[in-house]
Amino acid sequence: ADFKLSDLYKMEQEMESVVSAVMGLGGCRAKSELSASLMKHAEKDAMVKVVCELISMMEKSTTVLKSAACSINNLQADQIVSQKRIMELQEVNRGETVKAVTDTARSEIKSY
């Protein structure tokens, strides 16, 4: 699948939603308040649901990250090809410039 930035943002929103659910189970207002001792009191069914959501989210994030990595590799390959072409064109231009200068010099020498 092709990587889209919107996929990353969607994944981020899903993560925030699950983290909020975990915080709710522990009775926390901030992520920094989360602790194992708070989570011991959470309902088992609710914890099972959150764990399943986390596993699903991990699978989705792996897919998004692999897609992003492929896109990065493709962009790098394209950039290398473009840079090679630029260097080839610069070399051609350099050769044409040298030829033009040489021709001008010869022409000037002949005119003396």
Side-chain angles (χ1 to χ4, degrees), residues 2-70:
D2 289 333
F3 174 73
K4 292 179 237 133
L5 199 53
S6 61
D7 293 338
L8 189 61
Y9 290 132
K10 182 179 178 187
M11 190 174 66
E12 180 183 24
Q13 290 172 343
E14 289 175 9
M15 286 181 190
E16 287 296 327
S17 175
V18 172
V19 169
S20 292
V22 170
M23 289 170 46
L25 291 174
C28 304
R29 291 184 181 169
K31 293 175 195 171
S32 60
E33 295 175 7
L34 282 172
S35 68
S37 61
L38 284 175
M39 298 310 293
K40 287 181 183 179
H41 305 293
E43 290 182 20
K44 182 180 175 185
D45 290 342
M47 285 298 291
V48 168
K49 181 181 176 193
V50 168
V51 167
C52 289
E53 288 175 5
L54 286 169
I55 291 170
S56 174
M57 193 175 19
M58 283 175 33
E59 290 173 345
K60 288 178 187 176
S61 67
T62 299
T63 301
V64 169
L65 291 172
K66 284 180 181 178
S67 179
C70 284

Side-chain angles (χ1 to χ4, degrees), residues 52-91:
C52 289
E53 288 175 5
L54 286 169
I55 291 170
S56 174
M57 193 175 19
M58 283 175 33
E59 290 173 345
K60 288 178 187 176
S61 67
T62 299
T63 301
V64 169
L65 291 172
K66 284 180 181 178
S67 179
C70 284
S71 293
I72 289 169
N73 285 341
N74 290 339
L75 289 171
Q76 286 175 335
D78 291 347
Q79 185 177 16
I80 289 169
V81 168
S82 295
Q83 287 174 339
K84 278 184 174 181
R85 183 66 181 138
I86 288 169
M87 289 169 45
E88 289 168 359
L89 292 171
Q90 286 173 335
E91 192 61 36

